[in-house]
Amino acid sequence: MKTCKTQACTTQARRTRAAIGVAVAAVAVLGLSGCTNSDSGDGGDVTVVGNGEVRGTPDILNATVGIEVSAPDVAGAVSTANERANAMVDALSGSGVAKEDVQTNQLSVSPQYSNPGPTGGTSTITGYQVTNSVRIVVRDLSKASDVLDKAVKAGGDNARLNGVSFDIDDNTQLLADARERAFNDAKARAEQYAELSGESLGDVITITEVRGDTAVPQPQPQRDTLEGSASFALEPGQQTVSFQVTVKWSLD
């Protein structure tokens, strides 16, 4: 009987020690969890997108002018194209376009083929086409119309004109202004969100920038053939420099 009582006491003691161990472990876990939450001090963060844009007046003109000549043989096509192209370049130089603002952007010699008849057959070479064009920059817009007119006249019926566009030669200040507006817009939004959430705006964590320049659509230059005018109607319009920034702030 004593042995039985001794075993019961031993079993009860073991159960008591196990229960105490579980309780201590639970208290330790709860204490660790509470410490982690209270010591983090993480007020969160806020990410917003800001936009900024400024407009400026273009001060240069870009255009592609060139020659397109067709002839029965390669030598004839090349000779005529060279003659007209040189005359066009001389006209550009005489109009005040600097040599460094004239750059060849296309030079090609291509065969031309006949179309097979309704009964079939093979295509044959009927001649050759030579294209020679230059990309130019006109830095005095008051002379732009005259420059294009003289270049086209020098090329005669073989002249080609395309790719006319306006640009701002030095847009450094416009870029700086647009970037500042975009950041200020983002900051104003972030401050409002911080106030609404009962927090204060902390330090900047990240900034991601996207630039997106646009220009007011411009018509291609057209000759006023009805009145026999030799000038081109050109309108530089306005160019918009824009930035979009995504900024992430910490909240305190």
Side-chain angles (χ1 to χ4, degrees), residues 123-203:
S123 298
T124 59
I125 295 177
T126 58
Y128 294 87
Q129 183 181 78
V130 176
T131 301
N132 189 348
S133 63
V134 293
R135 186 71 175 169
I136 67 170
V137 179
V138 181
R139 300 188 182 277
D140 185 350
L141 290 187
S142 65
K143 298 180 179 179
S145 179
D146 183 61
V147 168
L148 297 180
D149 177 67
K150 289 182 177 179
V152 169
K153 282 185 176 179
D157 292 338
N158 301 109
R160 300 293 182 268
L161 169 63
N162 55 66
V164 177
S165 64
F166 292 92
D167 203 355
I168 298 174
D169 190 28
D170 184 5
N171 62 358
T172 304
Q173 189 57 50
L174 291 177
L175 294 175
D177 292 344
R179 188 179 291 111
E180 181 178 358
R181 291 189 181 187
F183 182 83
N184 289 339
D185 180 45
K187 186 175 182 181
R189 295 168 188 254
E191 288 175 339
Q192 182 181 13
Y193 284 125
E195 182 180 355
L196 291 172
S197 61
E199 303 282 352
S200 60
L201 205 60
D203 297 328

Side-chain angles (χ1 to χ4, degrees), residues 41-143:
D42 185 4
D45 55 62
V46 58
T47 302
V48 295
V49 176
N51 297 284
E53 67 175 39
V54 292
R55 302 183 73 183
T57 302
D59 54 9
I60 61 173
L61 176 139
N62 300 302
T64 299
V65 293
I67 298 296
E68 188 176 88
V69 175
S70 296
D73 58 276
V74 173
V78 170
S79 177
T80 303
N82 286 340
E83 179 185 348
R84 298 292 171 80
N86 289 333
M88 181 174 284
V89 171
D90 290 341
L92 292 170
S93 177
S95 300
V97 179
K99 183 177 180 180
E100 58 268 24
D101 289 330
V102 180
Q103 182 181 48
T104 299
N105 77 325
Q106 183 180 4
L107 179 61
S108 64
V109 179
S110 305
Q112 294 178 309
Y113 296 90
S114 62
N115 295 322
T119 58
T122 58
S123 298
T124 59
I125 295 177
T126 58
Y128 294 87
Q129 183 181 78
V130 176
T131 301
N132 189 348
S133 63
V134 293
R135 186 71 175 169
I136 67 170
V137 179
V138 181
R139 300 188 182 277
D140 185 350
L141 290 187
S142 65
K143 298 180 179 179

